[in-house]
Amino acid sequence: MLESYGEIIFLSHFMLVYMASVNYDCPMACECDIDDETVNLSCRRTIPDTLPLNTRVVSITDIEYEYLQQSDFNNARWENVTKLYLRGGSVNSVFSDTFWNVSNLTHLQISFPNLKKISVNAFGQLTKLKTLDLSGNFLISFDVVADALRVNEFTNNLDELNLHSLAMFLTPSELKETFFLQLQRFSIKRLDLSQSNFKKLDLIALSYLGSSLEELRMVGVDLASLMSFFYMPLRHTCFQICSFST
Ligand SMILES: *[C@@H]1O[C@H](CO)[C@@H](O)[C@H](O)[C@H]1NC(C)=O
Ligand SMILES: *[C@@H]1O[C@H](CO)[C@@H](O)[C@H](O)[C@H]1NC(C)=O
Ligand SMILES: *[C@@H]1O[C@H](CO)[C@@H](O)[C@H](O)[C@H]1NC(C)=O
Ligand SMILES: *[C@@H]1O[C@H](CO)[C@@H](O)[C@H](O)[C@H]1NC(C)=O
């Protein structure tokens, strides 16, 4: 008697879980957070081949791929996904056109401890992008970022560029004019250059961003002289511990 009662409980529990997963079609390696209209996914190790209807936010950790390319995002329907967070794992390259089928993104975070290469045009189709977060890519230099931003389709929607903790293990260097020339095209409002080990910053180059830049964050950056910053019309400049609302 007790046994079959237990079985019924077990069965109905199983059916509930089963029905929920059928209704929302939550991919295998993911957890789905669902409210009335939208679905947020957190996945591990793999990029899902299918997405539940109305998926808006996707976060993937510990990706077990060597590189990312367009075909990784070619199967699921990404049309409503506006925020994509990719963190950790073994990815060492991001190829051109990777986000071709995810081009409605407004927020993109890529943070891979092994990343060494971002191809020119990796972000090419992301014309709606507002926030690009490349923080925590310890092996990527500013030159690589400048190259990756050399794209035609990018419009000036990009408000925020987070380059926190870039090139942590490279020898200290100068942050060059070419880097700021690339950025100048985007009218960036918030720029985070914290915890990177460049020693020299070309202040004239930085002034290329002067007309749009509102917030510059350089926590833990050891520069020889900071005086010239006080002549920049920035609303918020931060050299110590501080946070900006994003
Ligand atoms: C999905 O994520 C957004 C922010 O990224 C949050 O505002 C929203 O409440 C989340 N929705 C669900 C169903 O978890
Ligand atoms: C995208 O959103 C629209 C409007 O909410 C909806 O009709 C459509 O089915 C969604 N598509 C996907 C793939 O989620
Ligand atoms: C992704 O984009 C390619 C090229 O435009 C297209 O052929 C393919 O159908 C798209 N995939 C999806 C799932 O929309
Ligand atoms: C972007 O969203 C629009 C609807 O807002 C949709 O028609 C279009 O197919 C989406 N683009 C992609 C590449 O999914």
Side-chain angles (χ1 to χ4, degrees), residues 201-204 206-207 225-234 239:
L201 181 65
D202 186 328
L203 292 174
I204 294 175
L206 184 60
S207 71
S225 162
L226 298 175
M227 282 304 287
S228 315
F229 281 106
F230 297 109
Y231 299 108
M232 288 193 62
L234 293 175
F239 299 104

Side-chain angles (χ1 to χ4, degrees), residues 37 51-56 76-81:
E37 288 170 357
L51 295 176
L53 274 184
N54 295 320
T55 299
R56 300 294 155 97
R77 291 175 60 199
W78 293 86
E79 64 206 47
N80 293 326
V81 176

Side-chain angles (χ1 to χ4, degrees), residues 139-158:
L139 303 178
I140 288 289
S141 69
F142 289 97
D143 290 341
V144 171
V145 173
D147 273 350
L149 293 176
R150 204 185 304 152
V151 292
N152 298 324
E153 301 90 336
F154 242 44
T155 60
N156 60 359
N157 287 320
L158 192 66

Side-chain angles (χ1 to χ4, degrees), residues 116-211:
K116 293 186 190 72
K117 186 167 187 284
I118 304 175
S119 295
V120 173
N121 221 37
F123 308 122
Q125 287 73 33
L126 299 174
T127 56
K128 298 178 181 171
L129 204 63
K130 284 180 163 300
T131 300
L132 179 59
D133 183 348
L134 297 175
S135 61
N137 290 303
F138 307 124
L139 303 178
I140 288 289
S141 69
F142 289 97
D143 290 341
V144 171
V145 173
D147 273 350
L149 293 176
R150 204 185 304 152
V151 292
N152 298 324
E153 301 90 336
F154 242 44
T155 60
N156 60 359
N157 287 320
L158 192 66
D159 283 341
E160 180 168 345
L161 184 60
N162 187 342
L163 303 177
H164 196 292
S165 304
L166 244 56
M168 290 283 276
F169 310 124
L170 301 182
T171 50
S173 60
E174 183 177 4
L175 195 46
K176 293 194 210 93
E177 189 170 339
T178 46
F179 173 75
F180 292 104
L181 275 172
Q182 284 304 327
L183 294 195
Q184 190 181 24
R185 304 165 48 217
F186 301 117
S187 309
I188 287 173
K189 295 198 177 90
R190 290 179 295 278
L191 178 62
D192 192 336
L193 300 174
S194 298
Q195 307 294 353
S196 293
N197 59 351
F198 58 87
K199 291 280 179 202
K200 280 174 76 184
L201 181 65
D202 186 328
L203 292 174
I204 294 175
L206 184 60
S207 71
Y208 292 151
L209 304 181
S211 56

Side-chain angles (χ1 to χ4, degrees), residues 25-30 41 43 46-52 58 60 65 70-78:
D25 200 20
C26 193
M28 277 273 279
C30 308
L41 252 62
C43 308
T46 177
I47 297 167
D49 269 350
T50 59
L51 295 176
V58 176
I60 309 173
Y65 302 7
Q70 191 199 337
S71 57
D72 295 326
F73 295 92
N74 202 5
N75 298 318
R77 291 175 60 199
W78 293 86

Side-chain angles (χ1 to χ4, degrees), residues 32-36 38-41 56-57 83 85:
C32 295
D33 265 338
I34 297 144
D35 66 18
D36 292 345
T38 65
V39 181
N40 295 351
L41 252 62
R56 300 294 155 97
V57 181
K83 296 185 179 176
Y85 304 98

